[in-house]
Amino acid sequence: MRTTRFGSGLLAITVVAVVMAGCSASSSSPTPANITSANRVTITRDSAGIPHITANNFNALGYGEALAFSQDNFCTLAQDFVTVNADRSKYFGPDSLSLNYSAGASDTNLTSDFYWQSVKTSGMLAKELNQPPPLGPLPQVLSVYNGFVSGYNAYLKSGKLKDPTCAGKAWVRPITLSDMFLRGYQVVIEASSAQFISMEAKATPPTASPATTTPATTPATTPATTTPATTPATPTSAIPTSASAGTPNSAAPVADFGSNGNDTLGSNGIGIGSQDTVAGDGMLLTNPHFPWRGTERFWMAQLTVPGQYNVEGGTLEGFPLIGIGFNQHLAWTHTVSTSFRFTFYQLQLVPGDPTSYYVDGKAQKMGRVTVSVNTGHGTAEHTYYTTRWGTVADVDRAGYQWTNSTAYAVADSMGDDSYRAANQYLQMGQATSVQNLLAVESQYLAIPTFNTIASDDSGHAYYGDVGNTPNVPLSLITACTPPGLPQLVYKADGVVTLDGSRTSCAWGNDPGTPVPGIFNASNLPHTIRTDYVENSNDSYWLANPSAPFPAYSPIIGDVNVVQGLRTRLGNQMIAQRVAGTDGFGPPKFTLGSLQSMWESDQSLQAQLVLGSLVGACRANPSATASNGTSVDLAAACNALAAYDKTGTLDAAGGWLFSEWAAYAPKGNFWSDAFDAAQPLTTPSQLNVANPAILTALADAVLNLQTNHVALDATYGDVQHATRNGTKIPIPGCDTGCFNAIYAADGQGGPLAAAPYGEVFEGSSLVMTTELTPGGPVAQGILTYSQATDPTSPWYDNMTKLYSQKKWVSLPYTAAQLAQDHGTKTETVAAT
């Protein structure tokens, strides 16, 4: 088994060093007099830089977690607290792009500030904080949040912050519980409200004038526009509503996903049961494809309150519980779901009054939410318009505009989910079986945008898309989708728009849900099996192809539809592994063969079309690029012919193939049709009769020539992560590769200014876990490493290991941790 253990020092904020078995002593310090059993926190960094944090209560646990986290990533989270506190314009200027949620930002700082100011002034925090669970926080959740606040502030006060990104900057400040709540809210709305920040800000009545900027003392010389901005609406009915924002890894709400097999960004998860493992136990592959920058990076830790909570894995920055991980009996992961967490409502406006709309024949006045923010040079103000369904938005990609007769509102199911989601993740970490996990998900229904894939030590595997899904069955879609544009939008992208002039078109209610307007678990897809489950961001339909799901509501996803290349490849590799025909050892799974399968870096798109592409290229050795340039393809043909159809570092010609795939047409890519009876093998034939196929190759050749890249360049030559000025080669690919990696490719978009070949998204937290009778045995890698602080020893260590296809052990028990001879331990008193 390929296990690499190495490490260096621990960034100390500690006041006492404790010598552990097999550990070398740190510099000695006197034991603080104020340490007691109640406030004691022990933080042991293993040799990969992963902290194992133990405390006797959740307040102390949160304190220790914040200390360890701050050593690694203080500045990234500090800047996000500027975001959720609506201060970006003040410190970074109103026109710059806000901190990214995923690969690239699309909202300006001013837009972002308007939105978050509206959240802050909505009373949402007080409302949720004062409610009993499940909507309000469990005592343990509130304690870990408060402890994190104290630990973050203690680190800031300690003077140990060295990261030049934010050390000494005016925007760095102590935080409060409100900041943590807002960060939690930011996480849960990523697939719903966050998609619409600029769209809601853009929506103004047909006769409305733009917002203006008013300085504190003198008249403004330049008015500030509100083209980018947004704010959440206060629900006025049983339907959860919100003026929302977006999600890493989720597709744009009304986007053309294409049909050439290149999947949108997402994740892979495989849960393996006793039938398909050599040992007859459970096993899990965790492989989210998340951003390599910003707050949506994972950070790894083991968090322990003895007898109450003991979970190891990864969490998004600023969320103080493990989001993907394992405990003694259970391991779980997530993939981005096809389920929508929002709908639109079409409003029929009152003639002569574009801020009033009809409901059941009666006129209702829109609400107004006016917010103001400090731009650093004055005050900018914006007004949002709210309805019983949600906030009004202009959605250009859908053709949804506010006219004198029609407007559109966004209804969001995630509007009251911040603490409910935290409650759920606490209890997911305490679950002891996949059946128990399903019960927790069914109780809280708080997962924002994910499928769950899990396995346990009894050898059962679980798949479920059991989350906060609007209760919109097919019958409601059929009865309530207005004619015209809403029907076209639904047909094109599955985005639901309902008739806002009828209360009968409100979301439905199921018994037993924690909030109205969402499906209960009986109406959501889930299964428990002993062979395997797999998801790579397609719908629930083929979680196990031997037992396809029947159709659920289309808002959850579709059946009998084309599957993405990662879904097809994943199931192909699993079948080969179970049969023992993949060259990775005898039949069925061990941790080693699971790792070998994942890191094989196969490109299914190349397997399917490379031969035909080379044949077409050689039959037509020149082509005209999109800009009209005639391009000689002879050398490109030879480079592609030598390509080995993988994303490994030494795959010569791989980068050219990747660029061709990015330029390739979305329509008429395949010459054969999809067959629902053979969903994992169709379509499979490249349409070489489409002239755009070779036009794309000509464009790719020009791209490489412009960027001074050889046509036979390997992935290792081009694709990289830069750490302190050093380029680290990164394996993986974006052409139907299970190990999906996405790098800047010179084709414009939000990453146009990014260095060519720099990785910005893809495989992030990767874990392979076996749930044995004696406890979990796990290995993994955090591809971009633990720290964003360039002065940290954990800034690039795991990235270098990932480049070499090496894994680190993930010790869970005290005995496993004792086998690591590079640990460093500190003990602190939580305050």
Side-chain angles (χ1 to χ4, degrees), residues 83-84 86 101 110-125 127-128 181-182 185-186 188-189 192-201 229-236 239-246 367-371 373 382-393 409-417:
T83 299
V84 299
Y101 289 101
L110 184 60
T111 300
S112 174
D113 288 344
F114 282 145
Y115 174 73
W116 287 106
Q117 186 63 24
S118 73
V119 176
K120 288 173 59 182
T121 58
S122 68
M124 188 184 304
L125 170 59
K127 176 185 175 183
E128 288 199 29
F181 169 84
L182 292 169
Y185 184 72
Q186 185 186 45
V188 300
I189 64 168
S192 50
S193 291
Q195 296 281 353
F196 305 105
I197 287 180
S198 292
M199 301 176 200
E200 290 174 353
T230 203
T231 200
T234 302
T236 56
I239 299 172
T241 59
S242 168
S244 309
R368 299 188 183 197
V369 177
T370 299
V371 296
V373 299
H382 183 71
T383 297
Y384 295 91
Y385 291 82
T386 64
T387 72
R388 66 182 295 144
W389 309 114
T391 302
V392 178
V410 182
D412 179 12
S413 67
M414 304 303 302
D416 54 1
D417 200 28

Side-chain angles (χ1 to χ4, degrees), residues 255-264 492-493 538 561-565 568 605 608-609 660-662 664-674 682-687 690 693:
D256 182 359
F257 301 139
S259 57
N260 68 359
N262 275 324
D263 309 284
T264 53
D493 290 299
D538 283 303
V561 291
V562 175
Q563 298 297 284
L565 291 179
R568 294 168 61 177
Q605 190 172 39
L608 295 176
V609 308
W660 166 79
K666 294 179 179 178
N668 297 317
F669 182 85
W670 305 106
S671 62
D672 58 331
F674 168 70
T682 60
S684 62
Q685 303 298 316
L686 180 66
N687 183 11
N690 183 352
I693 295 296

Side-chain angles (χ1 to χ4, degrees), residues 93-468:
D95 298 325
S96 298
L97 292 180
S98 65
L99 185 66
N100 61 291
Y101 289 101
S102 61
S106 59
D107 304 314
T108 67
N109 288 334
L110 184 60
T111 300
S112 174
D113 288 344
F114 282 145
Y115 174 73
W116 287 106
Q117 186 63 24
S118 73
V119 176
K120 288 173 59 182
T121 58
S122 68
M124 188 184 304
L125 170 59
K127 176 185 175 183
E128 288 199 29
L129 190 60
N130 291 325
Q131 291 188 94
L135 301 184
L138 290 165
Q140 302 96 318
V141 167
L142 188 57
S143 291
V144 78
Y145 269 57
N146 279 320
F148 195 97
V149 169
S150 297
Y152 179 97
N153 292 340
Y155 182 81
L156 177 60
K157 186 178 180 181
S158 72
K160 296 183 180 293
L161 176 60
K162 303 301 182 185
D163 187 343
T165 306
C166 71
K169 299 295 177 64
W171 46 268
V172 176
R173 59 171 176 82
I175 62 169
T176 66
L177 180 63
S178 175
D179 292 294
M180 289 296 292
F181 169 84
L182 292 169
R183 170 57 182 152
Y185 184 72
Q186 185 186 45
V187 169
V188 300
I189 64 168
E190 287 176 342
S192 50
S193 291
Q195 296 281 353
F196 305 105
I197 287 180
S198 292
M199 301 176 200
E200 290 174 353
K202 182 180 178 183
T204 56
T207 57
S209 56
T212 58
T213 299
T214 306
T217 56
T218 59
T221 57
T222 305
T225 64
T226 61
T227 302
T230 203
T231 200
T234 302
T236 56
S237 73
I239 299 172
T241 59
S242 168
S244 309
T247 176
N249 280 348
S250 74
V254 184
D256 182 359
F257 301 139
S259 57
N260 68 359
N262 275 324
D263 309 284
T264 53
L265 308 186
S267 308
N268 305 313
I270 302 176
I272 310 167
S274 58
Q275 185 175 321
D276 288 343
T277 61
V278 170
D281 50 21
M283 200 173 291
L284 186 76
L285 172 68
T286 296
N287 184 205
H289 302 155
F290 261 49
W292 281 41
R293 59 179 185 168
T295 54
E296 308 319 303
R297 286 170 44 114
F298 283 98
W299 181 73
M300 297 186 73
Q302 181 179 9
L303 305 179
T304 304
V305 176
Q308 299 185 60
Y309 186 81
N310 188 5
V311 188
E312 184 167 358
T315 185
L316 296 180
E317 297 189 4
F319 184 72
L321 293 163
I322 298 298
I324 290 177
F326 58 91
N327 61 27
Q328 178 76 14
H329 304 286
L330 171 77
W332 81 92
T333 189
H334 290 309
T335 60
V336 174
S337 166
T338 57
S339 175
F340 289 98
R341 295 320 200 230
F342 65 89
T343 68
F344 295 119
Y345 274 91
Q346 185 188 71
L347 309 175
Q348 300 301 318
L349 305 181
V350 175
D353 184 2
T355 60
S356 294
Y357 60 104
Y358 289 111
V359 179
D360 293 338
K362 297 181 180 179
Q364 292 192 7
K365 196 70 177 175
M366 293 180 184
R368 299 188 183 197
V369 177
T370 299
V371 296
S372 60
V373 299
N374 182 350
T375 67
H377 301 284
T379 301
E381 187 176 273
H382 183 71
T383 297
Y384 295 91
Y385 291 82
T386 64
T387 72
R388 66 182 295 144
W389 309 114
T391 302
V392 178
D394 277 358
V395 186
D396 292 341
R397 283 172 290 177
Y400 288 176
Q401 303 294 328
W402 193 344
T403 69
N404 285 313
S405 60
T406 307
Y408 295 86
V410 182
D412 179 12
S413 67
M414 304 303 302
D416 54 1
D417 200 28
S418 183
Y419 282 129
R420 180 158 58 100
N423 293 341
Q424 175 168 319
Y425 277 97
L426 171 72
Q427 295 195 354
M428 286 171 66
Q430 296 169 328
T432 58
S433 66
V434 294
Q435 292 87 352
N436 191 190
L437 178 66
L438 172 59
V440 171
E441 293 191 338
S442 301
Q443 175 186 358
Y444 286 97
L445 294 168
I447 290 180
T449 182
F450 303 128
N451 304 290
T452 301
I453 297 92
S455 294
D456 65 22
D457 57 3
S458 71
H460 289 87
Y462 163 70
Y463 164 84
D465 191 350
V466 180
N468 206 345

Side-chain angles (χ1 to χ4, degrees), residues 355-680:
T355 60
S356 294
Y357 60 104
Y358 289 111
V359 179
D360 293 338
K362 297 181 180 179
Q364 292 192 7
K365 196 70 177 175
M366 293 180 184
R368 299 188 183 197
V369 177
T370 299
V371 296
S372 60
V373 299
N374 182 350
T375 67
H377 301 284
T379 301
E381 187 176 273
H382 183 71
T383 297
Y384 295 91
Y385 291 82
T386 64
T387 72
R388 66 182 295 144
W389 309 114
T391 302
V392 178
D394 277 358
V395 186
D396 292 341
R397 283 172 290 177
Y400 288 176
Q401 303 294 328
W402 193 344
T403 69
N404 285 313
S405 60
T406 307
Y408 295 86
V410 182
D412 179 12
S413 67
M414 304 303 302
D416 54 1
D417 200 28
S418 183
Y419 282 129
R420 180 158 58 100
N423 293 341
Q424 175 168 319
Y425 277 97
L426 171 72
Q427 295 195 354
M428 286 171 66
Q430 296 169 328
T432 58
S433 66
V434 294
Q435 292 87 352
N436 191 190
L437 178 66
L438 172 59
V440 171
E441 293 191 338
S442 301
Q443 175 186 358
Y444 286 97
L445 294 168
I447 290 180
T449 182
F450 303 128
N451 304 290
T452 301
I453 297 92
S455 294
D456 65 22
D457 57 3
S458 71
H460 289 87
Y462 163 70
Y463 164 84
D465 191 350
V466 180
N468 206 345
T469 305
N471 193 322
V472 181
L474 178 60
S475 58
L476 189 67
I477 296 172
T478 302
C480 287
T481 301
L485 192 56
Q487 292 186 351
L488 294 176
V489 169
Y490 175 66
K491 183 177 181 180
D493 290 299
V495 177
V496 174
T497 306
L498 302 173
D499 185 352
S501 70
R502 294 183 282 158
T503 55
S504 60
C505 294
W507 297 351
N509 293 304
D510 280 353
T513 61
V515 294
I518 62 175
F519 284 122
N520 64 21
S522 66
N523 287 313
L524 297 169
H526 55 274
T527 185
I528 295 174
R529 308 178 58 85
T530 57
D531 48 2
Y532 79 91
V533 294
E534 192 275 349
N535 185 267
S536 294
N537 309 117
D538 283 303
S539 79
Y540 56 87
W541 177 37
L542 299 179
N544 184 292
S546 67
F549 275 106
Y552 286 77
S553 167
I555 202 170
I556 305 169
D558 295 321
V559 301
N560 300 319
V561 291
V562 175
Q563 298 297 284
L565 291 179
R566 283 186 291 107
T567 296
R568 294 168 61 177
L569 178 61
N571 284 281
Q572 171 184 300
M573 292 192 302
I574 292 169
Q576 293 170 346
R577 174 81 303 271
V578 172
T581 59
D582 57 5
F584 300 138
K588 300 188 179 182
F589 282 95
T590 64
L591 274 189
S593 61
L594 178 60
Q595 292 170 358
S596 295
M597 184 189 82
W598 178 80
E599 67 187 13
S600 62
D601 289 333
Q602 302 173 54
S603 165
L604 182 57
Q605 190 172 39
Q607 292 175 13
L608 295 176
V609 308
L610 182 61
S612 297
L613 176 61
V614 171
C617 179
R618 286 181 166 161
N620 301 274
S622 67
T624 302
S626 298
N627 65 3
T629 301
S630 179
V631 179
D632 184 348
L633 299 179
C637 298
N638 293 334
L640 290 174
Y643 173 43
D644 69 1
K645 306 175 187 176
T646 74
T648 58
L649 292 181
D650 58 357
W655 187 257
L656 174 62
F657 182 81
S658 176
E659 288 294 281
W660 166 79
Y663 283 111
K666 294 179 179 178
N668 297 317
F669 182 85
W670 305 106
S671 62
D672 58 331
F674 168 70
D675 182 352
Q678 302 179 68
L680 299 180

